[in-house]
Every structure is written in structure tokens, then in C-alpha cells.
Amino acid sequence: MRIELLKKSEVSDGSQFFEFLPGKYDGKCWKEESVYLEELVMGFFEGVVKRVLPSYSHFAFQYLDAPATRTLAEDLKGIGTAIQEAREPKVYIQSLADQNDSVHPDMNPFLSEGSEQAGLKLASLAKQLAEWLETEAVKYGGVSILGL
């Protein structure tokens, strides 16, 4: 599992990636200006996305306007800070996974003992994605999340 914000050059066309696309979806996927998350990594953030966008679906393409995008960014920053400050990051990360409709079995190694380093990477990723969302909300008036 790659716990990082990926660029187009780092992913292969396929259904295991979520695409965060600047602005509204225009019928084209896999854009250079988009950023990507592996499906398993997105699973840790789906709960917060659902709070901001109640109609969110793992399998749909959805648009968030600028205010919703900024709210999502703030929530992601909060997640990053909470993981970094938690006495037991594993417990907090498990709570993120529990907000997902179903925890994929491949997430279990991440949630196992010794996942402290991975937890710090997840915290950093949450903050990086938040910064990207804030920038794109200003430039494009929102972002689209392209599910599987």
C-alpha cells in the first residue's frame, strides 16, 4: 500500500485508484493535473468524505463545490493532527477505518502492531491532500472525486 499523494506519472490506468480532479468532471479521467490515492488508502478517508458529502459513493464521480472542498480540507488537516498527537495512533487510525462501510482485509496489516511509521505517513498524506484541495478550490471553484 502506497500511503502517498500520487501524480499521473506514478499510477497506471486502472480501477484501484481514486482521482481527485480540479474542478468539475468534464468526461475525461486520468488528467495530469489530478492527484490520486490508492483504493485502500482512500478507505481511511471515506468516513470524513461522507460527512462532508452525504451522497458520496465509493463507485461514483462526485463534485464538491468550493465551500465543501474547504470543509473537507479542514477535516483532513484535523485527522492529520489527531494522528500525530494521539497517544496510540493505531487506535485513532482504526477508528478511521471503522467509519468505512467495510474494512478491506488488505488494510489489516496497516492496522497491526508496528504501524507507527505508516500512521505518520497517513497523517502527512491527510495534510498534503488538504493543501491540494484548498488550492484547487480557489483555482477551480471545487474538485471532483472520481471513484472506482
Side-chain angles (χ1 to χ4, degrees), residues 115-129:
S115 62
E116 190 101 9
Q117 194 64 24
L120 294 176
K121 284 176 125 180
L122 190 65
S124 176
L125 172 61
K127 290 181 175 188
Q128 289 171 359
L129 181 56

Side-chain angles (χ1 to χ4, degrees), residues 9-70:
S9 62
E10 299 171 303
V11 299
S12 58
D13 293 355
S15 62
Q16 77 249 24
F17 296 99
F18 279 76
E19 181 173 356
F20 287 79
L21 179 115
K24 290 186 178 180
Y25 175 65
D26 63 0
K28 296 178 184 162
C29 302
W30 302 103
K31 292 192 168 189
E32 290 294 327
E33 62 270 19
S34 295
V35 293
Y36 303 83
L37 293 180
E38 283 191 4
E39 179 183 10
L40 293 176
V41 175
M42 181 64 177
F44 290 104
F45 299 134
E46 284 189 323
V48 71
V49 173
K50 286 179 186 178
R51 283 195 303 272
V52 174
L53 182 66
S55 64
Y56 171 80
S57 169
H58 188 85
F59 302 101
F61 292 5
Q62 292 109 155
Y63 177 70
L64 284 84
D65 63 13
T69 302
R70 285 191 293 274

Side-chain angles (χ1 to χ4, degrees), residues 67-116:
T69 302
R70 285 191 293 274
T71 299
L72 178 58
E74 286 301 314
D75 288 353
L76 286 167
K77 283 191 229 173
I79 286 171
T81 300
I83 293 170
Q84 289 172 328
E85 294 177 355
R87 283 189 184 172
E88 296 183 58
K90 178 184 165 200
V91 173
Y92 187 82
I93 292 166
Q94 179 67 57
S95 75
L96 291 175
D98 290 345
Q99 293 174 35
N100 194 342
D101 290 336
S102 61
V103 175
H104 192 284
D106 290 341
M107 292 167 93
N108 290 331
F110 182 87
L111 299 169
S112 67
E113 294 297 328
S115 62
E116 190 101 9

